[in-house]
């Protein structure tokens, strides 16, 4: 098998890697600090970045570290829902049987958040991924859903996650009231060249792989091909292992990287 050929006990570049192996890039650290602020202040955040920059992985890492007895985590990624479907899904996630009417679900959701926060001392954190696809109706309702005590109290945190186009969408005047409630925003820029080298070396190490699998030219080629995207880098590296093994190469060079990148681009 191609992994054992390079001394790897598992594929450390797989997307299902445990969050305890998260690489602490500058992006990752900045985002983590922003998320901690949101957690402590029960407010709204906007997190954006191109596909593959590690947004969802970083947020998953952050959420996994929270005490389940103190936080109620709601993660929603079906952002193409209708407004009615959104309310039903949020009701289910909060442990509420959805009512037939939207106005009743709205009231029940707010009451449940208040019950968790005031009576049970549980902080609710709602994460909506791929938020660039949310309808105008849902975006407009979000500012009202988290409006408590005449907008004088915060009882839940909301994190909107999406691609950079989400920033452009929210600049429309219709969303001014929602944007004014967003206290933290961050756009992930991706991994730089030095970090990419450290990332690859650290991942190979946790899988007990051989040292020097990739030469310097290969690392340079991976960086140029991935454009800051960890997901793209992971896919290229995995493909490099397969191609390298097929050619009985112990060391992967830039030619193998280019071949891997071309195969993925065509695939």
């Amino acid at each position: 098998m191609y992994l054992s050929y390079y001394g790897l006990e598992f594929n450390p570049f797989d997307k299902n890697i445990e969050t305890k192996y998260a690489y602490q890039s500058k992006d990752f650290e900045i985002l983590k600090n922003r998320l901690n602020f949101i957690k402590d202040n029960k407010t709204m955040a906007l997190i954006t970045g191109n596909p593959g920059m590690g947004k969802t992985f970083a947020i998953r890492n952050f959420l996994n570290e929270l005490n389940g007895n103190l936080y109620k985590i709601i993660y929603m990624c079906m952002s193409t829902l209708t407004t009615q479907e959104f309310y039903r899904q949020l009701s289910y996630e909060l442990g509420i049987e959805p009512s037939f009417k939207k106005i009743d679900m709205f009231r029940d959701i707010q009451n449940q958040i208040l019950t968790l926060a005031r009576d049970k001392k549980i902080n609710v954190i709602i994460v909506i991924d791929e938020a660039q696809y949310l309808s105008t109706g849902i975006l407009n309702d979000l500012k009202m859903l988290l409006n408590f005590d005449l907008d004088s109290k915060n009882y839940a945190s909301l994190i909107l996650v999406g691609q950079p186009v989400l920033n452009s969408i929210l600049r429309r005047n219709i969303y001014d009231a929602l944007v004014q409630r967003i206290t933290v925003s961050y756009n992930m820029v991706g991994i730089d060249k030095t970090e990419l080298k450290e990332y690859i070396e650290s991942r190979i190490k946790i899988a007990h792989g051989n040292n020097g699998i990739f030469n310097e030219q290969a690392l340079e080629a991976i960086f140029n091909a991935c454009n800051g995207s960890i997901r793209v880098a992971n896919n290229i590296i995995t493909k490099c292992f397969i191609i390298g093994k097929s050619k009985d190469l112990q060391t992967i060079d830039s030619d193998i990287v280019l071949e891997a990148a071309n195969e993925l681009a065509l695939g």
Side-chain angles (χ1 to χ4, degrees), residues 16-17 28 41 49 89 114 129 144 150 157 162-163 167 171 173 185-186 193 201 211 218 221 232:
N16 295 318
I17 190 79
F28 188 94
N41 292 276
Q89 182 64 28
L114 282 172
D129 209 346
M144 297 184 292
L150 300 178
S157 301
Q163 296 178 26
N167 291 304
R171 289 192 189 103
N173 292 338
S185 61
Y186 183 65
K193 187 185 297 186
E201 291 175 348
N211 293 324
V232 173

Side-chain angles (χ1 to χ4, degrees), residues 5-6 11 30 49 57 63 70 80 85 109 116 119 138 154 165 169 174 180 199 202 222 225:
Y5 181 78
Y6 290 103
N11 185 359
I30 292 172
F57 182 82
L63 296 176
L70 300 177
T80 56
E85 290 169 338
I109 288 169
L116 290 171
D119 301 341
I138 294 173
N154 294 327
V165 68
I169 292 171
I174 192 174
Q180 288 168 12
Y199 169 74
S202 66
I222 294 171

Side-chain angles (χ1 to χ4, degrees), residues 49-256:
N50 287 321
M53 293 297 178
K55 301 184 299 296
T56 302
F57 182 82
I59 290 171
R60 179 159 57 94
N61 179 272
F62 165 76
L63 296 176
N64 285 347
E65 292 180 351
L66 298 180
N67 186 331
N69 295 318
L70 300 177
Y71 295 92
K72 173 66 175 177
I73 308 300
I74 297 173
Y75 177 83
M76 302 174 68
C77 62
M78 294 179 64
S79 48
T80 56
L81 298 171
T82 65
T83 305
Q84 193 82 358
E85 290 169 338
F86 174 81
Y87 273 86
R88 291 181 64 84
Q89 182 64 28
L90 186 53
S91 296
Y92 282 128
E93 295 291 342
L94 284 167
I96 308 168
E97 184 64 31
S99 300
F100 180 74
K101 294 182 179 180
K102 172 184 165 182
I103 186 64
D104 293 328
M105 287 190 283
F106 182 97
R107 181 200 61 228
D108 293 342
I109 288 169
Q110 282 206 324
N111 287 340
Q112 180 71 342
I113 290 175
L114 282 172
T115 297
L116 290 171
R118 286 177 171 175
D119 301 341
K120 299 184 179 181
K121 309 303 179 186
I122 294 176
N123 296 324
V124 177
I125 298 179
I126 303 169
V127 180
I128 304 178
D129 209 346
E130 300 295 347
Q132 71 272 9
Y133 299 120
L134 288 174
S135 68
T136 298
I138 294 173
L139 286 171
N140 281 332
D141 277 12
L142 286 175
K143 64 181 182 291
M144 297 184 292
L145 261 178
L146 302 183
N147 184 332
F148 296 95
D149 298 344
L150 300 178
D151 208 18
S152 65
K153 298 287 186 180
N154 294 327
Y155 291 110
S157 301
L158 172 67
I159 303 172
L160 297 176
V161 186
Q163 296 178 26
V165 68
L166 181 58
N167 291 304
S168 300
I169 292 171
L170 293 177
R171 289 192 189 103
R172 294 168 55 189
N173 292 338
I174 192 174
Y175 300 126
D176 282 350
L178 174 62
V179 171
Q180 288 168 12
R181 288 167 168 77
I182 295 173
T183 58
V184 169
S185 61
Y186 183 65
N187 184 68
M188 299 187 74
V189 296
I191 198 166
D192 65 29
K193 187 185 297 186
T194 299
E195 290 176 325
L196 180 64
K197 181 179 179 180
E198 293 174 351
Y199 169 74
I200 293 173
E201 291 175 348
S202 66
R203 284 296 171 96
I204 290 175
K205 183 177 180 179
I206 63 174
H208 304 106
N210 302 329
N211 293 324
I213 296 176
F214 296 90
N215 65 25
E216 289 297 323
Q217 292 73 30
L219 295 173
E220 179 82 19
I222 294 171
F223 175 75
N224 291 334
C226 76
N227 197 29
S229 169
I230 292 179
R231 180 188 301 160
V232 173
N234 286 342
N235 291 339
I236 290 173
I237 291 166
T238 300
K239 180 67 72 171
C240 283
F241 290 144
I242 297 171
I243 296 172
K245 166 64 172 65
S246 70
K247 297 184 178 184
D248 295 323
L249 297 175
Q250 289 291 332
T251 301
I252 293 172
D253 58 20
S254 59
D255 289 339
I256 299 300

